[in-house]
């Protein structure tokens, strides 16, 4: 690594550099622009992990989209899902009849988004698709379709570019694997 920033000391391996992320986000933005041509989708940012990805991605989408935020909790500060999902912040506006794009940081077991998608289906959206920055398909426990993702990741706990461990490392510009000794203490 060129940087000597301290937060990099806790990372065992960089999986995706900021340059690779930028290129992937630009490509995905073009794809969404093409796929939703003529539509006015509602892009929902799932807080907090997707916030950086969301901010970069929506600026690569050339559509009259609307922005919403939701917060769900499934993790706390642990590195394994509890299966418990709580809605912490709901949408500000109705999505009835709208084309909804859920923008999430990472899909692991899929339980969180499976729960969220069911809620949004129940509110009468015209369509609902999922965009995940990272996808860990080997870990899936439920049958959830992730229509778009930037990168597939191995079964390791990753941080950076919005993803945290105990609220830290979100500001890491790259995405890397957190050293297990950090969370096994
Ligand atoms: P799922 O319900 O798909 O198992 O979990 C989704 C949520 O778990 C993500 O939104 C994220 O908050 C968290 N998560 C899953 N894997 C990782 C990971 O490798 N790193 C981080 N930082 N969070 C993860």
């Amino acid at each position: 690594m060129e940087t000597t920033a301290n937060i990099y000391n806790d990372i065992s391996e960089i999986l995706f550099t900021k340059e690779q992320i930028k290129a992937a986000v630009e490509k995905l933005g073009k794809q969404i622009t093409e796929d939703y041509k003529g539509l006015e989708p509602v892009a929902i940012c799932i807080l907090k992990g997707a916030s950086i990805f969301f901010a970069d991605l929506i600026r690569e989408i050339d559509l009259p989209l609307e922005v919403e935020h939701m917060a769900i909790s499934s993790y706390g500060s642990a590195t394994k899902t509890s299966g418990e999902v709580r809605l912490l912040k709901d949408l500000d506006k109705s999505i009835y009849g709208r084309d909804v794009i859920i923008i999430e940081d990472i899909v692991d077991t899929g339980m969180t988004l499976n729960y969220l998608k069911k809620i949004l289906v129940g509110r009468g959206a015209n369509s609902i698709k999922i965009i995940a920055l990272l996808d860990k398909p080997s870990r899936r426990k439920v049958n959830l379709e992730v229509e778009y993702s930037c990168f597939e990741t191995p079964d390791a706990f990753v941080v950076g570019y919005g993803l945290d461990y105990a609220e830290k490392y979100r500001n890491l510009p790259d995405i890397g694997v957190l050293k297990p000794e950090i969370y096994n203490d």
Side-chain angles (χ1 to χ4, degrees):
M1 287 305 306
E2 280 171 22
T3 177
T4 55
N6 286 336
I7 42 174
Y8 279 95
N9 294 340
D10 298 341
I11 305 302
S12 60
E13 184 194 352
I14 298 292
L15 292 178
F16 308 109
T17 64
K18 63 179 176 184
E19 291 78 16
Q20 289 173 314
I21 297 168
K22 187 169 188 291
V25 169
E26 282 172 9
K27 190 172 166 218
L28 181 56
K30 285 198 179 78
Q31 179 80 54
I32 301 295
T33 304
E34 192 57 36
D35 292 356
Y36 283 81
K37 211 174 189 166
L39 299 174
E40 297 188 7
V42 181
I44 303 178
C45 173
I46 307 301
L47 297 170
K48 301 174 192 170
S51 58
I52 296 178
F53 174 48
F54 184 83
D56 285 344
L57 179 62
I58 60 170
R59 287 177 291 172
E60 299 297 333
I61 300 175
D62 185 12
L63 293 169
L65 58 73
E66 285 177 36
V67 164
E68 284 281 344
H69 291 84
M70 269 187 129
I72 323 167
S73 153
S74 65
Y75 251 69
S77 63
T79 55
K80 296 234 158 63
T81 188
S82 61
E84 184 203 353
V85 179
R86 284 186 299 145
L87 191 56
L88 304 177
K89 188 214 171 292
D90 207 340
L91 302 173
D92 293 332
K93 286 174 74 175
S94 164
I95 51 155
Y96 185 82
R98 303 297 304 269
D99 296 296
V100 170
I101 308 172
I102 301 174
I103 303 184
E104 172 67 303
D105 54 359
I106 183 164
V107 181
D108 185 28
T109 63
M111 285 161 73
T112 309
L113 282 193
N114 198 41
Y115 169 87
L116 181 65
K117 199 172 171 184
K118 277 192 188 132
I119 293 180
L120 299 183
V121 166
R123 294 184 186 178
N126 182 52
S127 69
I128 301 178
K129 284 190 179 169
I130 294 172
I131 297 180
L133 168 67
L134 304 173
D135 192 2
K136 275 189 200 169
S138 64
R139 296 254 313 155
R140 206 71 96 248
K141 283 193 186 148
V142 291
N143 186 18
L144 177 80
E145 196 177 345
V146 177
E147 282 84 1
Y148 305 94
S149 80
C150 288
F151 305 105
E152 277 195 13
T153 43
D155 184 7
F157 194 78
V158 299
V159 294
Y161 195 66
L163 287 103
D164 76 315
Y165 170 66
E167 294 302 330
K168 292 189 195 130
Y169 311 101
R170 292 195 197 276
N171 57 328
L172 200 79
D174 310 295
I175 296 167
V177 178
L178 189 64
K179 287 181 181 168
E181 59 259 40
I182 305 295
Y183 52 85
N184 284 338
D185 279 351

